[in-house]
Amino acid sequence: MRTIGLIGSGNIGSQLARLAIKQGYDVVLSNSRGPETLQPLVMELGEHARAATPAEAAAAGDLVVVTIPLKNYQQVPVEELRGKTVIDTMNYYPQRDGNIAELDDESTTTSELLQAHLPDSHVVKAFTNIMSDHLTSQGSPAGAPNRRALPIAGDDAAAKEQVASLINEFGFDVIDAGPLAEGWRWQRDTPAYVTALDAKGMEQALAEAVRYADMA
């Protein structure tokens, strides 16, 4: 895996691109406004970055990150992502995304929505409980004391292993929370959401999560 495609290049996407290039990857950036709007970021990132359309970024990436507002998830290219590992960084914010009934009644999760949209891809939920600037400021070498841990969830073991390896390269321990259906455990307002915790603390925070319907 040498090329990471990014569908969305905002706060999270741009920071992941910086981390990826630091680790020797090529990145293909895209957004909804056109490749020309990404030229300042491409110039900053250097020769290992280029801008493209979302479909081109999806096709070019050995692994692809979807990092857009959740309300736009149905615009993610499908055919170009067939058979690929797709990292989902999306969170549900009703004030931005509008109300999504199946998320409001907790019958599904954000990443399961994306997986249903991409039936032949392998979606892994990651990078959804960390502030964008912390991605490039709070990483540390493997084995470092109190190394921050990030959770992942996914239905494909090989895809999760691929994403866990990348997260470790980026400077964080990884907690496998299980299948995509468990991704709710670090959604907004849960103990693990945007909270800096080591592996033990993250495991405890995930275990303490409760559904919205059960919150006091």
Side-chain angles (χ1 to χ4, degrees):
M1 184 183 76
R2 296 316 316 162
T3 301
I4 297 176
L6 291 124
I7 299 175
S9 301
N11 292 336
I12 292 288
S14 61
Q15 295 290 60
L16 290 176
R18 293 181 178 99
L19 287 171
I21 287 177
K22 186 177 180 181
Q23 293 300 320
Y25 294 96
D26 294 322
V27 299
V28 182
L29 303 153
S30 70
N31 63 14
S32 61
R33 295 177 293 127
E36 65 281 358
T37 66
L38 291 167
Q39 288 310 308
L41 179 58
V42 168
M43 291 180 64
E44 174 205 328
L45 295 173
E47 62 181 356
H48 291 285
R50 65 181 177 90
T53 66
E56 290 166 344
D62 300 311
L63 177 151
V64 177
V65 181
V66 173
T67 178
I68 60 176
L70 180 65
K71 63 183 178 181
N72 298 327
Y73 80 91
Q74 291 178 317
Q75 298 175 18
V76 173
V78 176
E79 184 60 35
E80 291 85 351
L81 294 174
R82 189 179 302 276
K84 296 187 178 185
T85 296
V86 177
I87 297 178
D88 168 30
T89 80
M90 297 183 291
N91 280 307
Y92 175 43
Y93 302 113
Q95 68 272 25
R96 178 198 65 189
D97 300 313
N99 287 97
I100 300 173
E102 56 265 54
L103 296 179
D104 290 339
D105 66 20
E106 301 185 89
S107 60
T108 192
T109 64
T110 58
S111 294
E112 287 176 293
L113 285 180
L114 183 62
Q115 182 66 80
H117 176 67
L118 301 172
D120 297 314
S121 303
H122 309 296
V123 174
V124 178
K125 183 182 182 73
F127 301 118
T128 59
N129 71 321
I130 181 170
M131 301 295 289
S132 59
D133 60 316
H134 291 171
L135 283 166
T136 50
S137 65
Q138 293 193 354
S140 56
N146 302 313
R147 193 187 199 207
R148 184 166 179 173
L150 300 178
I152 64 171
D155 296 336
D156 184 273
K160 284 198 289 186
E161 185 176 338
Q162 186 180 25
V163 174
S165 177
L166 185 69
I167 293 172
N168 181 58
E169 285 187 69
F170 285 178
F172 303 92
D173 283 344
V174 179
I175 300 300
D176 185 347
L180 285 179
E182 292 297 298
W184 68 271
R185 290 188 175 275
W186 65 95
Q187 62 193 1
R188 69 182 199 283
D189 302 324
T190 57
Y193 180 67
V194 295
T195 305
L197 299 166
D198 64 10
K200 184 177 180 180
M202 182 57 66
E203 288 179 342
Q204 181 176 345
L206 294 173
E208 292 174 352
V210 297
R211 298 281 190 175
Y212 290 137
D214 297 323
M215 290 183 180

